Amino acid sequence: MTDRFDTGVAHPARRYNYWLGGKDNFAADRESGDLLAKSYPAARIAARANRAFLGRAVRYVAADAGIRQFLDVGTGLPTANNTHQVAQLVAPDARIVYVDNDPMVMAHARALLTSTPEGETRYIEDDLRNPDKILGEAAEVLDLSRPVGLILVAVVHFLADHAEANRVVGTLLDALAPGSHLVMSYATTDFLTPELKANWDESLRTGRSDVHPRSRAEFDEFLTGLEVIEPGVVPVGDWRPDPDGDEHPSPVEASIFGVVARKVIR
Ligand SMILES: C[S@@+](CC[C@H](N)C(=O)[O-])C[C@H]1O[C@@H](n2cnc3c(N)ncnc32)[C@H](O)[C@@H]1O
């Protein structure tokens, strides 16, 4: 058993589940979530806004861009509007490969993220830092000679090293066919007050947080060679919000960049 199953240690997927109002979390996750929410009070709003962005963006990629296969790295614990549900609502034959490095997430995913009969869902327990291995396994289900929706939502910011983050995203994108779409979100402190920013830095320094925020300029580096879809790189709450959606958080509340971009030539 790995320490990932240690319920006495807070874990990002379970903490995020707590912020989203889910039940798959333990005392240590709730404690960590509450502690972080003290330095960034809008944490819950940000989690919900990020999750809503994921749904809207996957719907766009399936419905507007016509993509029928998805590689979702950093799956998260199953909740409402999981990637395959959104995609298969548009196209029941859509195929989705879910990847996460947390065995607990993958156990829940295998049980709950089940496909339509026409489509397929597959699960890979692996780390984002191994993009070549992930691509090799994903190719058993996805036809990589055809466009893919690559979902990197609220996951790359767990990589502390920016060069490594760039390498990982670049390797994944390089392997995908032109016409593929990247859906990405990423925590930033660009919109925060100096006080909130200092709180975040302090959380990282003391090990209370494992989310490494990056600036707009750093985020743009991930998008080299891609055609950014309107409205561009924006706080997640501003990415094509549903007109009748009940929440429209400000950039300070949902301090996460979101983007959908199309691979042309890389
Ligand atoms: C904040 S959740 C995001 C879930 C989902 N993408 C969403 O936005 O709703 C982050 C997920 O990424 C996973 N994760 C974190 N670091 C990872 C890594 N290096 N490789 C693969 N998965 C990772 C966590 O286990 C967790 O399930």
Side-chain angles (χ1 to χ4, degrees), residues 38-233:
K38 272 191 189 149
S39 47
Y40 180 51
R44 277 184 186 77
I45 298 174
R48 283 201 300 272
N50 177 71
R51 188 74 195 177
F53 161 75
L54 171 68
R56 297 193 304 273
V58 170
R59 192 176 65 206
Y60 169 86
V61 172
D64 294 62
I67 304 286
R68 295 292 176 261
Q69 39 179 11
F70 294 81
L71 177 58
D72 182 345
V73 188
T75 307
L77 284 160
T79 172
N81 295 328
N82 302 293
T83 297
H84 76 287
Q85 289 164 323
V86 176
Q88 291 184 341
L89 203 60
V90 176
D93 60 340
R95 281 167 296 159
I96 290 88
V97 173
Y98 283 115
V99 185
D100 204 287
N101 68 349
D102 181 344
M104 178 178 154
V105 168
M106 282 292 99
H108 279 74
R110 280 184 204 99
L112 297 173
L113 303 184
T114 51
S115 174
T116 55
E118 304 92 321
E120 185 169 354
T121 46
R122 186 72 73 89
Y123 319 92
I124 302 175
E125 189 182 311
D126 210 333
D127 198 289
L128 177 62
R129 295 175 185 86
N130 304 320
D132 289 313
K133 201 158 147 266
I134 289 172
L135 287 162
E137 283 188 57
E140 290 173 18
V141 176
L142 310 180
D143 175 357
L144 298 187
S145 68
R146 298 178 61 77
V148 168
L150 173 62
I151 316 295
L152 297 175
V153 173
V155 65
V156 182
H157 56 213
F158 290 107
L159 303 188
D161 186 287
H162 188 56
E164 179 174 48
N166 260 315
R167 174 189 68 80
V168 163
V169 177
T171 303
L172 290 170
L173 284 169
D174 283 346
L176 302 184
S180 292
H181 282 62
L182 170 70
V183 175
M184 190 164 174
S185 76
Y186 206 108
T188 183
T189 50
D190 280 12
F191 306 106
L192 299 187
T193 60
E195 192 196 344
L196 283 174
K197 191 177 173 324
N199 286 352
W200 199 316
D201 290 344
E202 175 67 9
S203 301
L204 271 173
R205 217 175 13 252
T206 54
R208 270 187 287 133
S209 175
D210 40 13
V211 174
H212 299 269
R214 284 175 179 110
S215 65
R216 168 66 197 268
E218 287 171 317
F219 188 81
D220 281 353
E221 288 174 34
F222 296 123
L223 309 175
T224 309
L226 301 182
E227 180 186 283
V228 173
I229 306 290
E230 284 298 316
V233 177

